[in-house]
Amino acid sequence: MSATTKNVSPAKLSKPSDREIRVERVFNATRERVWKAHTDPKLLAQWWGRGNKLVIERYELERGGHWRFVEHSDHGAHGFEGRFREVTPMERLSMTFEWDGMPGYPVVSTAVFEDLGDGRTKLISTMLFYTPEERDGMLQSGMEGGMNESYAALDALLARTS
Amino acid sequence: MSATTKNVSPAKLSKPSDREIRVERVFNATRERVWKAHTDPKLLAQWWGRGNKLVIERYELERGGHWRFVEHSDHGAHGFEGRFREVTPMERLSMTFEWDGMPGYPVVSTAVFEDLGDGRTKLISTMLFYTPEERDGMLQSGMEGGMNESYAALDALLARTS
């Protein structure tokens, strides 16, 4: 966000299968810092909610641990929760993700952190749904715009904490 | 389990797709009683654990509600949990189901209660997995034997409370 920020490529969204969404995005920060921004509740609260107040009710960063976030916007409160499937520091973070508005419809969200070797990190995120209809519903929900807002907020956090 | 119990057909297991398991089983009880045995924690505790002690830590029977059971056997404690997706009394009960031993691998478990009109009820249960491998892992885990033990315990409960 500052004049010294290197340009980043926009997020690249693709559909590897009819039940998945894949997003690639490069961040101007080391893998350690991008990992920390994804796993430290104090940092997560600063970008995940895209500027909205985010209350982290539960965050147990280990295999089998639970997490729960509540985002407070002008439109009300939205809860999200899930459980960690895999926590491999700096490398891989996999969890279920479920929105209170569609309870019982979890998605498997997996992030892979790739060190680009020049102080930048590529984040490869995939979401796996039970059905193609749920995947398409997510795409139609404005998910891409929300994700880009979150990533812009993460860019800003990384820039101001570098 | 008494001499007056009508014969029931054994559970019929099938694979409607490569990510599903379907089980049909007839019970010698009205739909209302079979529904209640599936949704009243005091009754659930008497059959779900197949004779093992079952502690019901959480049971919020409504869309979006959470549930959590811990089964205590000679081999230790096993936790199971999930969230209700649909609760339509007497007709349909759908929830996610996840074993602590494989956290982050929920299954969608849906039970349909069919009134056979002669005091018997057909229960049609389906489980939907994210992948064929997870489905096959469940089949190889001895799930069918465990299910038959649970259903036998449910038969016994229905016979002694009729």
Side-chain angles (χ1 to χ4, degrees):
Chain A
M1 311 282 1
S2 71
T4 58
T5 302
K6 288 178 228 164
N7 286 329
V8 291
S9 340
K12 210 164 67 187
L13 189 147
S14 60
K15 305 173 189 174
S17 76
D18 65 356
R19 295 191 289 120
E20 288 174 291
I21 298 171
R22 177 186 162 107
V23 177
E24 290 190 18
R25 174 64 144 77
V26 174
F27 293 94
N28 279 324
T30 60
R31 185 158 73 155
E32 187 175 355
R33 294 180 59 231
V34 178
W35 171 267
K36 202 174 164 205
H38 276 81
T39 53
D40 178 333
K42 284 189 298 292
L43 298 179
L44 272 169
Q46 292 178 54
W47 68 271
W48 201 90
R50 305 161 297 144
N52 292 320
K53 182 184 171 193
L54 188 76
V55 177
I56 298 191
E57 293 189 347
R58 198 170 180 186
Y59 198 77
E60 304 155 354
L61 183 67
E62 60 181 346
R63 179 171 177 270
H66 295 79
W67 66 270
R68 181 170 169 82
F69 298 169
V70 181
E71 186 181 342
H72 295 265
S73 76
D74 295 343
H75 309 293
H78 286 282
F80 302 87
E81 62 178 49
R83 197 168 185 190
F84 291 105
R85 181 191 271 218
E86 181 185 338
V87 180
T88 304
M90 312 295 163
E91 288 179 15
R92 212 174 138 89
L93 185 64
S94 185
M95 70 194 84
T96 54
F97 170 100
E98 181 174 349
W99 170 49
D100 281 357
M102 274 184 71
Y105 288 80
V107 171
V108 181
S109 168
T110 303
V112 172
F113 299 75
E114 194 181 310
D115 183 353
L116 294 182
D118 56 359
R120 295 182 310 152
T121 302
K122 184 188 277 186
L123 181 71
I124 302 158
S125 299
T126 54
M127 282 192 278
L128 172 64
F129 298 76
Y130 285 118
T131 65
E133 294 69 29
E134 289 161 38
R135 196 276 309 263
D136 293 342
M138 175 68 96
L139 287 171
Q140 284 153 20
S141 75
M143 161 256 175
E144 192 171 1
M147 182 193 69
N148 282 325
E149 286 174 23
S150 290
Y151 284 167
L154 176 52
D155 282 336
L157 170 71
L158 292 168
R160 74 176 174 264
T161 56
S162 63
Chain B
M1 305 270 94
S2 71
T4 57
T5 302
K6 288 178 228 165
N7 285 329
V8 291
S9 341
K12 207 163 72 186
L13 189 147
S14 61
K15 306 173 186 174
S17 77
D18 65 357
R19 294 192 289 119
E20 288 172 291
I21 298 171
R22 177 186 162 107
V23 177
E24 291 190 18
R25 174 64 145 77
V26 174
F27 293 94
N28 279 324
T30 60
R31 185 156 74 154
E32 187 174 356
R33 293 181 59 229
V34 178
W35 171 266
K36 203 175 164 204
H38 276 81
T39 53
D40 178 333
K42 284 189 299 290
L43 297 180
L44 272 169
Q46 293 179 53
W47 67 270
W48 201 92
R50 307 160 296 144
N52 292 320
K53 183 183 170 195
L54 189 76
V55 177
I56 297 191
E57 294 189 347
R58 199 170 178 184
Y59 198 76
E60 304 156 355
L61 184 68
E62 60 181 345
R63 179 172 177 270
H66 296 77
W67 65 272
R68 181 170 170 82
F69 298 169
V70 181
E71 185 180 342
H72 295 264
S73 76
D74 295 342
H75 310 293
H78 286 282
F80 301 88
E81 61 178 49
R83 198 169 184 188
F84 291 106
R85 182 192 269 215
E86 182 185 339
V87 180
T88 303
M90 313 293 164
E91 288 180 15
R92 213 175 138 87
L93 185 64
S94 183
M95 69 192 84
T96 54
F97 169 100
E98 181 174 348
W99 170 48
D100 282 357
M102 274 184 71
Y105 288 79
V107 171
V108 181
S109 168
T110 303
V112 172
F113 300 75
E114 195 181 309
D115 183 353
L116 295 182
D118 56 0
R120 296 182 310 152
T121 303
K122 183 188 280 187
L123 180 72
I124 302 158
S125 298
T126 54
M127 282 192 277
L128 172 65
F129 298 77
Y130 284 118
T131 66
E133 294 71 28
E134 289 161 39
R135 195 276 309 263
D136 292 342
M138 175 69 97
L139 286 171
Q140 285 152 20
S141 75
M143 160 258 174
E144 193 172 0
M147 182 193 69
N148 283 325
E149 286 174 23
S150 290
Y151 285 167
L154 176 51
D155 281 336
L157 170 71
L158 292 167
R160 74 174 174 264
T161 57
S162 63

